[in-house]
Structures are given as C-alpha cells and as structure tokens.
Amino acid sequence: MTHLAASATAAVEHVLTVDCPEAPGIVHAVSRFLLEHGSDIIDNHQFGDRRDGHFFMRVRFATSGNENSTELLRRNFAAVATPFAMRWHLEPAGTRRRVLVMVSRHGHCLNDLLFRTRSGDLPLDVVAVVSNHPDHEALVSWHGIPFFHVPVTSATKPEAEAQLLQIVDEFAVDLVVLARYMQVLSNDLCTRLAGRTINIHHSFLPSFKGAKPYHQAHERGVKLVGATAHYVTADLDEGPIIAQEVISVDHSHTPDDTLPSRSSSVPATRSRRSASCWVKRWETPSMALTGNGVDARAGTI
C-alpha cells in the first residue's frame, strides 16, 4: 500500500458534544449515525437532567478518513441534530484551543497557566495576554506571547473593551480566562463573550462576592477559604460554577498578608484545571449555561 493510500484510510479520532431537550431516541440516533459512517466509539459520556428536562452527551470516536472527514461528518450530522433541536460541536480530537488570558497585578494564576502550557500540561495555546497594568509584560514576552497593556478607567472603559474585542477577533480567541483580572466587565461585553469567558474568583462562591473576599471571610470568621472558577455573566460573580477548591484557615491568618499568601496556590490550581476542563470538552459551554453548574457532571458522566 502506498503512503497516500495508507493516509486515506488511517483512523481519525473526533469528539462530538451534544446538548438538547430530553427525548427518547437521542443515543440511538447518534450511535446509528456513527455506525453508518464506519465509526468506532472509544469513549461515551451522557447525562440526562430530569429536573430541567435537558440531555448532554460527549462521544469520542474513531473513523477512517482523511482531512475531509470532519467536514463530511458535520454536513451529514446536521440531519440527525435537527429533529432533536441539538446544539452540537464536532471536531478532531486534540484540537488546541486558542486562549486569551486577562490579568491585573497579581500574577500567580497567569504564571501557572503560562508554565503549564509551556510544559505541555495544558492542551491549549495562550495566544495573547491583556492587562490593565504593565507589570507582567516581561514575563509574558519571555514566553514569546504578545502582551497588550490596555488601561481601564471609568471614562475609557468603552474604548478599552472595544480594543479587547478587536484583540479577541484578531487572534481568533476561543476562550478568555480572567486570571485575577480586577476589572468588572460591562453587560455588553459579557453578552458578546457569553459562554467563552471564565473567571477565577478567590473565594468559595456564592460566599464573598466582589472585592476583598479575604476581608469578608475574615470578618465572618470562616474556617475554609478557596477559589471558584465560573462562567462570566452580567451578574457579578454569579455565573454557573465550573469547579471549586478550598483550604483550611484559622484565626491566626489575616486578610492582608498570611491569608492571601496561604491561599494563592488555590486560584492558580483552579485556573489551570478549569481551563483544561473547558478545552477538553468534558462539558459543553451550553451545559454550564443552563444554570446548574457543571463540576459534578463533568466528573461523573
């Protein structure tokens, strides 16, 4: 067999994610489609939310084909999706997502994301970093990534957000990660980036939203603090939760020094795990945006 013939019949792996209203026959329809297209299911996860009447499915499969296989599968699957009103994505496995990181002065989440990406731990490409301060330009430039200093004031916020959207479009960004970015996005920007912006908030939401969560926690005398990764919506720190992590504290930890230093690794860990979760498509963006969060489902289905 020639090299050309071998490449034409090589197995190509894809990932199909689906969400739609619950109905009989969804799994059968998807499985039949894959069988009819000569595909072998490698991994399948599904979840039916009976309370909301919604169904979610993620299938990884292998099929014989070439570089045209993906478009052919997409065209043919549309006929399966329409009767069930599916929202779906079908793409080659291992597709690397293009990520834009936004940061202010605290750089631990940014540094962790850049290091984990450079070392190959995260299946993504950080294509640009935007900050309202110039502090991290040297770090970002060392990684060979474009850095954009976009100052934000109440007077310049519309222009700053317009510049941000221009960067998102220019770099074909799939996901925006707010890694300790301490500016509140406007309602219009949240709508424009709905479903593809996640925030790393340094508290265990829904407790202690907004500014100075360490001070709020200290005043209430809590014994657990943590970090929450969630989708960004127009409601501040109230978007659907993706993942959370906590650590123990006591009365000896203060909100200005020991408490932030003790808990700084938690947002960093959450940021990389949440980005990885989003990129690997253990859940679809629409799954989270149904309003019930996704962390438990992502780990169990």
Side-chain angles (χ1 to χ4, degrees):
M1 181 180 293
T2 66
H3 175 73
L4 182 61
S7 64
T9 58
V12 180
E13 293 188 10
H14 289 79
V15 174
L16 170 66
T17 57
V18 168
D19 79 279
C20 61
E22 178 70 80
I26 299 172
V27 175
H28 176 263
V30 173
S31 301
R32 183 178 62 187
F33 169 82
L34 295 177
L35 176 63
E36 291 174 348
H37 287 75
S39 302
D40 179 28
I41 295 176
I42 299 172
D43 190 58
N44 180 52
H45 297 268
Q46 62 191 61
F47 176 81
D49 189 335
R50 294 191 176 278
R51 185 175 64 177
D52 291 341
H54 213 78
F55 180 81
F56 307 92
M57 188 175 187
R58 179 189 186 276
V59 186
R60 183 172 181 138
F61 62 93
T63 186
S64 298
N66 52 34
E67 64 275 8
N68 299 317
S69 298
T70 304
E71 287 306 318
L72 177 63
L73 289 167
R74 286 172 177 163
R75 287 198 302 270
N76 293 347
F77 188 76
V80 177
T82 300
F84 294 101
M86 292 179 180
R87 292 182 292 186
W88 58 278
H89 301 272
L90 193 157
E91 56 199 20
T95 299
R96 295 179 67 86
R97 295 298 180 179
R98 300 175 61 82
V99 175
L100 169 71
V101 179
M102 300 185 68
V103 63
S104 291
R105 292 193 184 277
H106 296 286
H108 49 283
C109 291
L110 169 68
N111 189 53
D112 188 75
L113 284 170
L114 295 179
F115 172 77
R116 300 289 177 175
T117 301
R118 188 181 185 90
S119 63
D121 289 350
L122 288 176
L124 55 83
D125 293 319
V126 177
V127 296
V129 173
V130 171
S131 179
N132 55 324
H133 298 283
D135 303 44
H136 305 298
E137 182 173 5
L139 169 66
V140 175
S141 298
W142 183 87
H143 283 272
I145 297 171
F147 178 88
F148 296 90
H149 177 212
V150 183
V152 181
T153 67
S154 56
T156 64
K157 190 167 187 173
E159 291 80 7
E161 292 191 343
Q163 184 178 350
L164 170 63
L165 287 173
Q166 183 178 357
I167 295 170
V168 168
D169 291 339
E170 179 182 348
F171 286 87
V173 170
D174 298 308
L175 174 69
V176 177
V177 178
L178 308 186
R180 297 301 303 274
Y181 182 68
M182 308 306 289
Q183 292 288 323
V184 178
L185 306 186
S186 70
N187 291 356
D188 179 65
L189 185 60
C190 290
T191 300
R192 295 282 295 274
L193 298 177
R196 54 182 180 139
T197 306
I198 61 177
N199 179 46
I200 314 302
H201 184 74
H202 48 301
S203 80
F204 194 71
L205 294 175
S207 300
F208 314 127
K209 305 172 187 175
K212 294 189 174 182
Y214 296 138
H215 292 73
Q216 298 178 50
H218 187 263
E219 290 171 2
R220 296 295 296 272
V222 302
K223 299 301 182 282
L224 290 173
V225 297
T228 301
H230 65 95
Y231 282 93
V232 174
T233 65
D235 298 316
L236 180 63
D237 294 333
E238 293 189 11
I241 292 172
I242 302 169
Q244 294 179 297
E245 194 157 326
V246 296
I247 59 172
S248 298
V249 295
D250 58 36
H251 63 279
S252 67
H253 297 104
T254 63
D256 292 313
D257 40 30
T258 59
L259 201 158
S261 64
R262 175 165 168 73
S263 60
S264 62
S265 64
V266 179
T269 301
R270 260 311 111 205
S271 65
R272 68 171 181 268
R273 290 182 181 174
S274 301
S276 179
C277 183
W278 193 95
V279 169
K280 290 179 179 178
R281 289 294 204 232
W282 283 105
E283 82 286 347
T284 63
S286 52
M287 176 189 282
L289 296 178
T290 58
N292 293 325
V294 299
D295 189 35
R297 299 174 189 175
T300 58
I301 62 173

